[in-house]
């Protein structure tokens, strides 16, 4: 009994803290919810890749139901139970992404009230639930198209877009609303934008390789008709371009004595890219094992996040406004 009560108290305290972070948000709790949105979007991107590499893409052969006449997996002869469980589990994760998205919206709305309100956060937060709805509807198209590689590629790119929106929300929640002011030379900032564009191009090349390669998600799925060696070389060339641009950006930030946080962010990006390159080469020479595919997808999302982060750290919008919940003098006045 003495063990159960402290555990219950801890759970109650955790739930209360979670509730307060949504209903009575601060700038810090808003950042945490934005970070949670980044994490869950990355997570469902990886589980989506797991669906593909395990051949579970049509584990739930209908949409919105999992199987004909049932929203949950029901035994059918055409699909193995494990494949059905994997695909259904990925669908269930959409509700976690939606829950975090809803928390972001409520927290941003509550934080945006009053004279120190920040409507920009609410507008950015609303992209999360909107993205979940679009993803869900597009997922139905993916199923009905029998995993056509174009629909699968767009499904992945939607996830990348939602991740980018969450990164922007995190960045804006971490700064003020003053006009943007460069912290680096304008040409270096331009180089940062070029790097982000190159990183997105790398993701596009990656989905072409994925749509051409061996992991289709199901035996019935079609593939792109490209030569796999050619698209892999193209993907590799773009990867070299991204690494070269990152090195150039890091060098430019260093020689111009730019802010330390921007230099550190560029160094982290370069480290992630080099690690991603090692994983890419290893998976290629090992005939693309499933486990390394998942690691490569994780690396791709991290490259994307880190590239966006570098750009945001090269400018400032002033300090974060202090909300009413963080101003104790208002509480004292109310008493």
């Amino acid at each position: 009994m003495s063990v159960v009560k402290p555990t219950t108290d801890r759970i109650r305290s955790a739930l209360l803290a979670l509730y307060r972070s949504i209903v009575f948000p601060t700038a810090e709790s808003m950042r945490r919810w934005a970070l949670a949105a980044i994490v869950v979007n990355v997570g469902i991107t990886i589980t989506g890749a797991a669906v593909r590499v395990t051949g579970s893409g049509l584990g739930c052969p209908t949409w919105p139901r999992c199987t004909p006449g049932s929203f949950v997996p029901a035994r059918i002869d055409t699909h193995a139970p494990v494949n059905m469980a994997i695909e259904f589990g990925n669908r269930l994760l959409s509700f976690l992404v939606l829950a975090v998205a809803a928390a972001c919206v409520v927290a941003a709305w509550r934080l945006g009230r009053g004279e120190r309100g920040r409507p920009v956060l609410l507008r950015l937060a609303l992209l999360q639930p909107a993205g979940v709805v679009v993803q869900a509807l597009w997922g139905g198209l993916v199923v009905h198209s029998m995993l056509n590689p174009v629909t699968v590629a767009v499904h992945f790119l939607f996830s990348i877009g939602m991740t980018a929106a969450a990164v922007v929300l995190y960045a804006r929640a971490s700064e003020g609303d003053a006009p943007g002011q460069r912290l680096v030379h304008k040409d270096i900032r331009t180089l940062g934008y070029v790097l982000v564009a190159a990183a997105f191009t790398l993701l596009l090349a990656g989905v072409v390789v994925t749509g051409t390669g061996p992991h289709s998600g199901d035996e019935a799925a079609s593939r792109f008709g490209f030569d796999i060696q050619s698209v892999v070389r193209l993907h590799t060339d773009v990867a070299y371009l991204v690494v070269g641009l990152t090195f150039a950006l890091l060098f430019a930030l260093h020689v111009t004595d730019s802010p330390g946080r921007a230099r550190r962010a560029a160094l982290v990006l370069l480290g992630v890219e080099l690690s991603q390159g090692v994983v890419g080469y290893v998976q290629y020479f090992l005939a693309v094992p499933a486990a390394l595919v998942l690691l490569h997808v994780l690396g791709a999302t991290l490259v994307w996040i880190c590239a966006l982060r570098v750009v945001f750290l090269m400018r400032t919008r002033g300090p974060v406004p202090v909300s009413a919940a963080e101003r104790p003098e208002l509480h004292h006045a109310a008493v």
Side-chain angles (χ1 to χ4, degrees):
M1 192 69 176
S2 61
V3 176
V4 173
K5 191 174 187 305
T7 301
T8 304
D9 290 341
R10 284 196 294 270
I11 294 175
R12 185 182 295 111
S13 298
L15 292 175
L16 180 60
L18 189 66
Y19 169 79
R20 291 188 62 84
S21 71
I22 299 173
V23 180
F24 304 105
T26 63
E28 179 60 29
S29 64
M30 186 69 247
R31 284 193 294 271
R32 290 176 180 174
W33 278 115
L35 180 60
I38 295 172
V39 171
V40 295
N41 278 296
V42 170
I44 201 168
T45 302
I46 296 171
T47 59
V51 169
R52 177 169 52 80
V53 299
T54 58
S56 305
L58 294 176
C60 287
T62 62
W63 188 95
R65 292 179 171 86
C66 179
T67 54
S70 176
F71 284 97
V72 298
R75 186 175 182 83
I76 54 177
D77 295 333
T78 55
H79 294 84
V82 63
N83 295 131
M84 296 174 67
I86 292 172
E87 166 61 8
F88 184 69
N90 186 62
R91 291 190 183 188
L92 286 180
L93 280 178
S94 298
F95 291 99
L96 175 61
V97 179
L98 181 59
V100 173
C104 286
V105 170
V106 175
W109 172 65
R110 298 282 296 183
L111 195 63
R113 299 188 306 171
E115 65 177 82
R116 291 174 178 262
R118 305 189 65 193
V120 62
L121 298 183
L122 179 58
R123 290 195 295 269
L124 290 171
L126 284 170
L127 293 175
Q128 293 302 308
V132 173
V133 173
V134 171
Q135 278 284 60
L137 295 175
W138 192 266
L141 180 60
V142 171
V143 172
H144 289 299
S145 69
M146 300 293 289
L147 306 184
N148 181 283
V150 174
T151 63
V152 174
V154 173
H155 204 37
F156 171 79
L157 293 176
F158 277 147
S159 291
I160 290 299
M162 288 182 64
T163 301
V167 171
V168 176
L169 177 61
Y170 179 85
R172 292 296 284 115
S174 304
E175 62 188 7
D177 296 319
Q181 181 179 358
R182 288 185 290 103
L183 298 175
V184 299
H185 190 276
K186 63 179 182 178
D187 292 339
I188 297 178
R189 187 86 191 280
T190 300
L191 179 58
Y193 289 136
V194 172
L195 173 58
V196 169
F200 183 73
T201 304
L202 181 61
L203 293 173
L204 289 176
V207 297
V208 173
V209 173
T210 296
T212 309
H215 297 294
S216 62
D218 192 273
E219 293 180 357
S222 60
R223 302 272 77 197
F224 287 130
F226 304 121
D227 174 64
I228 186 63
Q229 298 292 336
S230 298
V231 293
V232 167
R233 280 195 294 269
L234 174 63
H235 183 54
T236 303
D237 290 342
V238 179
Y240 281 133
L241 174 63
V242 171
V243 172
L245 289 171
T246 304
F247 183 80
L249 178 63
L250 182 60
F251 180 77
L253 290 171
H254 179 74
V255 298
T256 56
D257 196 26
S258 298
R261 62 177 189 165
R263 283 180 285 162
R264 289 190 295 270
L267 184 60
V268 169
L269 172 60
L270 182 61
V272 172
E273 290 169 352
L274 294 177
S275 300
Q276 175 76 332
V278 171
V279 173
Y281 273 109
V282 172
Q283 75 167 2
Y284 178 77
F285 288 113
L286 293 182
V288 200
L292 288 183
V293 171
L294 299 184
L295 190 59
H296 201 56
V297 171
L298 172 61
T301 59
L302 291 179
V303 168
W304 179 235
I305 292 168
C306 291
L308 292 171
R309 181 170 176 262
V310 170
V311 171
F312 279 106
L313 290 179
M314 290 193 293
R315 63 105 167 92
T316 181
R317 286 181 176 270
V320 181
V322 179
S323 64
E326 299 171 285
R327 297 166 67 191
E329 71 273 11
L330 295 184
H331 297 288
H332 295 155
V335 174

